[in-house]
Amino acid sequence: MDSIHPDDYGLSKPETDITEREDIELELLLVGVHRLYGYDFRNYALPSLRRRIWHFIHAEGLGNISELQGKVLHNRATFERMVHNLSIPVTEMFRDPNLFLTFRQKIVPILRTYPYIRIWHAGCSTGEEVYSMAILLHEEGLYDKSRIYATDMNDRSLETAKQGVFGIEKMKLYTKNYMEAGGTRSFSEYYTAKYNSVIFQPFLQKNIIFAEHNLATDRSFNEFNVILCRNVMIYFNDELRNHVHKLFHDSLSNFGILVLGSKESIQFTELSESYESLDRVEKIYRKIK
Ligand SMILES: C[S@@+](CC[C@H](N)C(=O)[O-])C[C@H]1O[C@@H](n2cnc3c(N)ncnc32)[C@H](O)[C@@H]1O
């Protein structure tokens, strides 16, 4: 009797073939998603994108990327779950407190000289960073002349952000962050506790506009004095990062301020020469040309 060669089961395929097949499957999935739903993940950094996709495949009880492709293209609800899975909405209030302290010390004096302040939080997730900025501006007497645009591609995160309701268990950390960020009041003044949640004071929302915006596919929508985009572009490849920097450059007024995350930098991007650094550690830049 002829023995069955292991290749017949695809078992002895060299590792490179498997990787190549997976690359093809991933490319087809991303092209399909882009064409059908308009969401463009094709220029996300591959290692973390691959990890998230496989995490989602397991969560959905599927076996491989092609199976996921079939489900995503035939079922909008699966696609929406995939977007939420790829979005990584990790955030906290006054995250990296020293950034907010530096913003108070170095940027607020500049903003004071403006008649009106427009700020864009791009990739704001569930809004904690935005409420932090509203509190800071309120304490500095600048909130009334400010308008904060807070955007994300993840509509579910934006819903949470609009509610302004967060878990009470996080308040200990947020109070600590607030103090380290130079907060001048008692942090508990800003929220009311109810059961296991807290709701932030409605006046903090008064000058915030939450809206869906995708940095990979949507255009500039206003001119801003400050743009904060923290911990978002770490998930992008160089091409998409350059694309987003162009969008921000087009959206900033002359001498506008750009704030990036602690692991991000304007260095090595195509627009590095268009900015000067205002704080090297906290990744605060000013547009100079
Ligand atoms: C790790 S969170 C950062 C939240 C916040 N900026 C902070 O630093 O705490 C990354 C956010 O970027 C958003 N994001 C990822 N890709 C995006 C895109 N193409 N357009 C807009 N938002 C995007 C995700 O949905 C997620 O909410």
Side-chain angles (χ1 to χ4, degrees):
M1 198 178 96
D2 285 350
S3 63
I4 297 172
H5 192 275
D7 251 0
D8 296 340
Y9 295 117
L11 293 178
S12 68
K13 285 272 177 213
E15 194 60 28
T16 46
D17 284 7
I18 298 171
T19 316
E20 197 187 335
R21 180 167 55 214
E22 201 186 286
D23 284 349
I24 295 168
E25 288 179 293
L26 187 59
E27 196 178 319
L28 291 174
L29 170 72
L30 300 182
V31 167
V33 162
H34 183 228
R35 285 191 54 186
L36 192 61
Y37 298 111
Y39 277 68
D40 195 354
F41 294 105
R42 292 174 301 171
N43 285 313
Y44 277 50
L46 267 180
S48 64
L49 181 69
R50 218 187 273 279
R51 250 193 333 271
R52 299 304 300 178
I53 296 265
W54 273 106
H55 177 265
F56 186 58
I57 287 172
H58 293 139
E60 293 283 308
L62 302 171
N64 55 51
I65 300 179
S66 297
E67 278 181 37
L68 176 64
Q69 188 207 90
K71 238 190 131 182
V72 160
L73 296 188
H74 288 274
N75 185 321
R76 190 173 178 103
T78 308
F79 159 70
E80 282 170 7
R81 282 201 301 280
M82 187 179 99
V83 170
H84 297 137
N85 193 274
L86 295 182
S87 142
I88 319 181
V90 181
T91 188
E92 61 188 50
M93 288 195 78
F94 294 98
R95 180 180 193 176
D96 305 321
N98 204 51
L99 176 263
F100 284 89
L101 184 63
T102 309
F103 193 94
R104 255 184 216 270
Q105 293 168 341
K106 291 193 175 171
I107 307 305
V108 162
I110 299 174
L111 300 184
R112 260 190 222 298
T113 64
Y114 298 163
Y116 193 73
I117 303 162
R118 263 193 300 269
I119 299 182
W120 179 13
H121 285 266
C124 69
S125 185
T126 38
E128 285 83 338
E129 181 184 77
V130 187
Y131 287 96
S132 309
M133 182 58 77
I135 289 172
L136 187 158
L137 294 171
H138 166 70
E139 292 184 356
E140 296 296 333
L142 295 178
Y143 189 54
D144 284 343
K145 63 168 179 173
S146 304
R147 194 57 98 244
I148 303 180
Y149 297 80
T151 64
D152 202 282
M153 68 164 181
N154 184 341
D155 57 346
R156 222 186 270 173
S157 293
L158 285 172
E159 264 322 300
T160 306
K162 280 182 206 163
Q163 310 267 324
V165 177
F166 302 107
I168 202 162
E169 74 286 351
K170 295 179 179 153
M171 291 308 123
K172 200 168 159 207
L173 170 67
Y174 292 178
T175 305
K176 179 173 168 284
N177 285 356
Y178 167 77
M179 308 278 283
E180 287 174 16
T184 58
R185 312 261 175 93
S186 157
F187 187 56
S188 58
E189 274 178 35
Y190 294 109
Y191 60 80
T192 312
K194 201 169 177 196
Y195 306 112
N196 292 329
S197 304
V198 305
I199 177 150
F200 275 81
Q201 301 293 356
F203 83 86
L204 290 172
Q205 279 192 358
K206 138 175 103 104
N207 295 342
I208 303 175
I209 295 145
F210 290 105
E212 220 175 302
H213 181 280
N214 193 318
L215 292 164
T217 48
D218 293 333
R219 298 207 208 145
S220 170
F221 57 94
N222 213 328
E223 191 177 294
F224 299 96
N225 306 108
V226 182
I227 297 178
L228 298 100
C229 184
R230 302 169 62 219
N231 310 303
V232 178
M233 283 188 273
I234 33 170
Y235 302 109
F236 298 171
N237 70 12
D238 285 349
E239 188 181 331
L240 183 53
R241 219 172 275 144
N242 278 318
H243 169 84
V244 175
H245 275 300
K246 169 112 188 27
L247 175 73
F248 290 160
H249 187 260
D250 290 345
S251 309
L252 273 175
S253 53
N254 287 339
F255 303 109
I257 309 288
L258 177 67
V259 183
L260 303 177
S262 60
K263 296 187 209 79
E264 295 157 330
S265 169
I266 191 80
Q267 247 194 324
F268 309 120
T269 72
E270 286 166 4
L271 282 157
S272 57
E273 300 296 311
S274 302
Y275 291 88
E276 65 177 355
S277 175
L278 293 187
D279 193 288
R280 267 174 218 294
V281 177
E282 297 307 330
K283 310 294 166 60
I284 306 178
Y285 305 92
R286 174 156 58 186
K287 177 175 159 179
I288 47 170
K289 59 182 180 196

